[in-house]
Amino acid sequence: MVDFLERIPKPSKLGINQGLTTPTASFLLQELGNPREDYTGECQNPTNPAFKKLVATRDVGPFRATGLIPALESLKAVLADVRNELPELHDSLSSEGMLCCRFRKINGKAVAPPSSHSWGTAIDLKISNVLDRQGDNMTLRGLALLAKFFNAHGWIWGVSFPTEDAMHFEVSREKLKQFRDAGLL
Ligand SMILES: [Zn+2]
């Protein structure tokens, strides 16, 4: 049986996130508006009424999550694919947070600009309640197995960020444009 919690070196950039671009905070701001006026290192709720209309709480399969509505629908589709191929991995998943208006956190320190979590387009995942350690250039094997499912649906895996963030998956710029073109935003 595969040990989803085994810690393995992060994969080469060549095999992952092909054709997908990480949206900048300014792109998200332009596409989705500003969720709130001010940010700190801690999670806060959105306060902008226009933005709040774009978010909801939904059952996405193994857990409930709060995020941008089309991102939640897409996440549900990703996790349905995981369930079909790797049901044990699917059942071991839980969320460490999706919508969370805050600055980025790098090794525990808050760094501007706001994180994609502020718009509810990113999710941090745990496997059997275990969180990957950010920035050590290693990943839990289960997260590496999830990458192809997320990539297939236009989500970026944060393992290739300048500071490795293997628990983190987020909607790409290309996928956000699809949401926009489909009239979902
Ligand atoms: Zn994250």
Side-chain angles (χ1 to χ4, degrees):
M1 197 192 132
V2 180
D3 178 6
F4 300 131
L5 297 179
E6 183 188 354
R7 294 173 68 245
I8 59 172
K10 74 173 180 184
S12 140
K13 273 186 187 175
L14 295 174
I16 49 166
N17 301 333
Q18 292 300 299
L20 302 174
T21 316
T22 309
T24 58
S26 56
F27 178 81
L28 290 163
L29 192 63
Q30 172 199 312
E31 287 291 309
L32 303 172
N34 198 2
R36 54 178 297 121
E37 288 301 315
D38 56 330
Y39 296 83
T40 67
E42 302 304 317
C43 271
Q44 296 185 85
N45 289 322
T47 53
N48 176 350
F51 176 77
K52 281 161 75 175
K53 286 186 189 148
L54 300 176
V55 301
T57 300
R58 299 267 168 89
D59 182 349
V60 294
F63 51 81
R64 289 170 69 77
T66 301
L68 190 78
I69 292 166
L72 288 167
E73 292 300 325
S74 177
L75 179 60
K76 195 172 177 176
V78 172
L79 295 173
D81 288 352
V82 176
R83 188 181 57 219
N84 286 338
E85 267 190 58
L86 297 167
E88 288 177 358
L89 179 58
H90 170 273
D91 293 348
S92 75
L93 296 175
S94 57
S95 170
E96 182 68 4
M98 191 172 180
L99 178 64
C100 164
C101 301
R102 60 162 166 77
F103 286 131
R104 291 183 300 154
K105 263 188 205 158
I106 296 182
N107 298 320
K109 280 178 84 179
V111 183
S115 156
S116 297
H117 286 282
S118 305
W119 287 271
T121 60
I123 187 158
D124 294 333
L125 291 176
K126 290 185 288 191
I127 297 176
S128 303
N129 233 18
V130 174
L131 207 54
D132 185 74
R133 199 178 310 145
Q134 192 194 36
D136 65 357
N137 293 327
M138 303 286 282
T139 175
L140 302 179
R141 183 178 290 282
L143 296 169
L145 290 168
L146 289 175
K148 72 164 185 176
F149 297 95
F150 276 96
N151 280 176
H153 285 266
W155 290 60
I156 299 254
W157 183 25
V159 79
S160 57
F161 288 178
T163 301
E164 165 273 307
D165 197 2
M167 74 177 92
H168 176 105
F169 294 88
E170 76 172 89
V171 176
S172 66
R173 194 178 163 114
E174 291 77 13
K175 187 75 177 178
L176 279 161
K177 281 189 184 145
Q178 280 181 29
F179 292 163
R180 167 73 62 209
D181 292 345
L184 299 173
L185 295 174

